[in-house]
Amino acid sequence: MDAATTAPANTGHPRRWAILGVLVISLLVVVLDNTVLNVAMRTIADPKHGLGATQSELEWAINSYTLVFAGLLFTAGILADRLGRRISLTVGLVLFGIASLVSAYSDTPGQLIWARALMGLGAAAVMPSTLSIIANVFDPRERGKAIGVWAGAVGLGVAIGPIVGGLLLEHFWWGSVFLINVPIVVVGVILVGVLIPESKDPRPGRIDFVGVLLSIIGLTLLTYGVIEGGESGFGELKSWGTLVAAVVVLAAFVIYERRVEFPSLDVRLFANRQFSASTAMIGLVFFAAMGAMFTSAFYLQLVRGYGPLASGALFVPFALGQLVFAPRSAAMVKRYGPKAVSTTGLLLVALGLAGWIFIGATTPIWVVGALFFVMGVGMANVMPPATEAIMAALPREKAGVGSAVSNTIRQVGGALGVAALGAVISSYYRSGVEDSTTGLPAAAKAVADESISGAYGVAANVGPAGQALIQHANDAFITAMHYSAIGSAVFAVLGAAVAFVWLPGKRPATAPAPTTAESLAEEQGVELVDV
């Protein structure tokens, strides 16, 4: 009997690749927003051409989005499984489009911060829906490849965002970087309605209201504590007290989910080492990479003096590495196994981050581009296999929960990285620059000591002494950036150790990869009950 008659039928949707294209468009709008904002920060801070936002207000324009996004991701995944993934995706896109319109025409930093929070609500509905729809319309044998394309779309968004943002800022007002989301949303909503079938959990059980509430409170407290720690220092009561409260609430969530009949998240899945290792890898790599990316935007635009378009173009190698290699990761995993691919990917990320230790004010700019490319190639070989392992640990009808776990870990890990490594930057920058600001008035000294962008603002108003202040600020920032790079690289290496120790190696050719929670649990010796 030939292979054609013995091979199992493909259970994927007939239009699955067209559906994937629609999901990529939906994903792009969320990714574009964050990368566009990175190049727009300096313009928004300008009192004449922007909103005159302070450093703290700029951080909250980013963090309000993160706070709502991370806090509601898990709940959005649960609701998508119960109410329907297509309707969840549609509602999320509409909310995101409305919030983008409000952001574009904000008159004050406060309005922008609240509009960004609404964008986070829309993104929380969009992100898990895209990944859970992939899990439902693709056969498990094709899912790894589809997730690789999905991850490559993230790289495409990272590439397009800064360039589009730079072009818009050079020709239009700052609000245009948000207005660009609206036509993408309109196209996305139309295509979602035409092409994507509705899917939901056929046996949702009762809604776990207590678990949902605990997850929202716990994740919100965790994200807020991390953000506040990055701004005020983790020694402040508002920071560590909030983090302690987050740990208590999330511990209560775990205990409750273990005992309830219909849990929002079967926490026993974390007894599966592949599931746990994959979530840990995602958290660690985003902790390392996002903190470095946030820092590099200030280095490129201030220390090196590049405009929004030029600095945006320098992020293209990072995106190119993901765009080229992420779709190939499934074949790499099949050939070499998840352990080898993920460990190598994380070590490449660590190498790219460690290179920043040697970056100075006059380093050839191609070196920066090369480091970004190495990081992108590494990320391309971490995210797809880790995400596929998480999605494979759940049956199709629970795909929204799996997607929410993956995205929540990624978002919280990124927020932790920006906050913790931002705190390292602030601490070393302040200690390096404070001696050179002693002759300034108290108010000006406080601004210059707070951040390098503050020092540049002060330097513009102090006459001939401004150039010396800028030189001291640049030196202090670069030193701080080196210490931050060391921290980033250490966390990436820690992620590589997790992958090397706990991920499985290459499977024998006769052993099919497990594709459900039950088969993964059986492999690891974990007993699961049907929920």
Side-chain angles (χ1 to χ4, degrees), residues 75 79 94 117 154 166 176 196 213 247 259 264 293 307 410 480 503-504:
T75 300
L79 293 176
V94 170
V154 175
S176 61
I196 296 182
L213 185 62
V247 170
R259 297 181 178 182
S264 300
M293 297 289 280
R410 181 173 65 180
L503 286 188

Side-chain angles (χ1 to χ4, degrees), residues 458-469:
V458 170
N461 297 305
V462 296
Q467 190 56 45
L469 175 59

